[in-house]
């Protein structure tokens, strides 16, 4: 059974994951209308993943005697000055999500809620991967600079990155 304070903290994380899904959906749209098909597909996949993160929390809260809240969401940023800026925002957002997960883990320890603590370990690992992937992408973008040919190859290769990440995660 969840305590009221843990339930509230988990519901807050549900909203953050839902907002993450919207943020990446808006990035997918921006990339798609700019003709960056690979980047758009990558962002659509990221958006789906965030919805999965949200649903996992929703099911957990409901199964543990709480009531998952489907709340109003903050509107995401829909335009970007460059695709580099867009990926910087993605990285910053993932760092923010990691901090939020860490805070949640901290609360479960304070309250000695080891079931929720155990459940959250999946999110801790997921955030390590997401931050690492965002960092790898930013490194590549910095190498490309303003080179159009580089951007073309990047758009092609990023599809591979999301496919290989999905393959690495599938054996569950
Ligand atoms: Fe669900 Fe990318 O954090």
């Amino acid at each position: 059974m969840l305590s009221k304070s843990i339930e509230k903290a988990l519901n807050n994380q549900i909203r953050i994951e839902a907002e993450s899904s919207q943020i990446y959906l808006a990035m997918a749209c921006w990339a798609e209308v700019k003709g960056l098909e690979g980047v758009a597909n990558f962002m659509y996949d990221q958006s789906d993943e965030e919805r999965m993160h949200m649903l996992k929390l929703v099911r957990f809260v409901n199964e543990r005697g709480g009531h998952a809240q489907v709340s109003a969401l903050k509107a995401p940023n829909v335009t970007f000055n460059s695709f580099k800026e867009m990926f910087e925002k993605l990285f910053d957002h993932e760092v923010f999500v990691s901090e939020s997960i860490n805070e949640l883990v901290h609360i479960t320890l304070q309250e000695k809620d080891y079931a929720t603590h155990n459940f959250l370990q999946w999110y801790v690992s997921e955030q390590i991967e997401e931050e690492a992937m965002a960092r790898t992408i930013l490194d590549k973008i910095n190498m490309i600079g303003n080179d159009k040919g580089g951007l073309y190859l990047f758009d092609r290769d990023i599809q591979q990155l999301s496919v290989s990440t999905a393959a690495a995660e599938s054996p569950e």
Side-chain angles (χ1 to χ4, degrees):
M1 186 77 188
L2 296 173
S3 73
K4 280 291 157 207
S5 56
I6 299 267
E7 182 180 350
K8 190 166 171 234
L10 289 170
N11 271 320
N12 183 53
Q13 192 63 33
I14 286 171
R15 183 185 47 74
I16 288 173
E17 301 292 348
E19 285 176 349
S20 303
S21 182
Q22 297 295 87
I23 287 169
Y24 299 149
L25 186 59
M27 288 180 177
C29 291
W30 184 83
E32 195 161 43
V33 298
K34 292 280 174 201
L36 295 165
E37 201 190 329
V39 173
N41 285 336
F42 172 83
M43 290 299 181
Y44 280 126
D45 286 349
Q46 287 300 113
S47 177
D48 283 349
E49 270 206 33
E50 298 302 345
R51 181 173 161 78
M52 186 268 284
H53 295 173
M54 177 201 66
L55 278 176
K56 221 174 151 77
L57 280 157
V58 163
R59 303 299 295 267
F60 180 79
V61 169
N62 291 338
E63 276 165 17
R64 298 279 302 153
H67 186 175
Q69 297 300 304
V70 178
S71 62
L73 305 177
K74 217 168 23 187
N77 200 1
V78 295
T79 54
F80 304 91
N81 292 318
S82 63
F83 83 111
K84 181 181 176 188
E85 185 200 74
M86 186 176 76
F87 278 102
E88 281 167 352
K89 285 199 162 25
L90 178 142
F91 178 71
D92 290 348
H93 184 72
E94 287 304 328
V95 170
F96 161 76
V97 174
S98 297
E99 284 166 3
S100 172
I101 295 287
N102 284 346
E103 185 54 30
L104 207 44
V105 171
H106 177 69
I107 297 169
T108 60
L109 284 182
Q110 272 180 330
E111 295 212 9
K112 298 192 170 72
D113 180 347
Y114 298 116
T116 304
H117 183 266
N118 186 46
F119 166 77
L120 288 173
Q121 296 313 303
W122 183 87
Y123 287 84
V124 172
S125 313
E126 184 71 9
Q127 283 314 118
I128 293 171
E129 275 181 32
E130 297 220 331
E131 275 189 41
M133 185 170 66
R135 211 174 276 122
T136 304
I137 291 171
L138 275 184
D139 286 346
K140 283 189 199 300
I141 290 172
N142 284 328
M143 270 193 298
I144 296 167
N146 291 320
D147 178 41
K148 286 260 188 295
L151 177 57
Y152 173 81
L153 291 176
F154 173 81
D155 188 54
R156 195 192 61 183
D157 290 349
I158 196 170
Q159 304 217 55
Q160 220 36 52
L161 190 66
S162 56
V163 168
S164 60
T165 309
E169 282 174 0
S170 62
E172 275 180 33

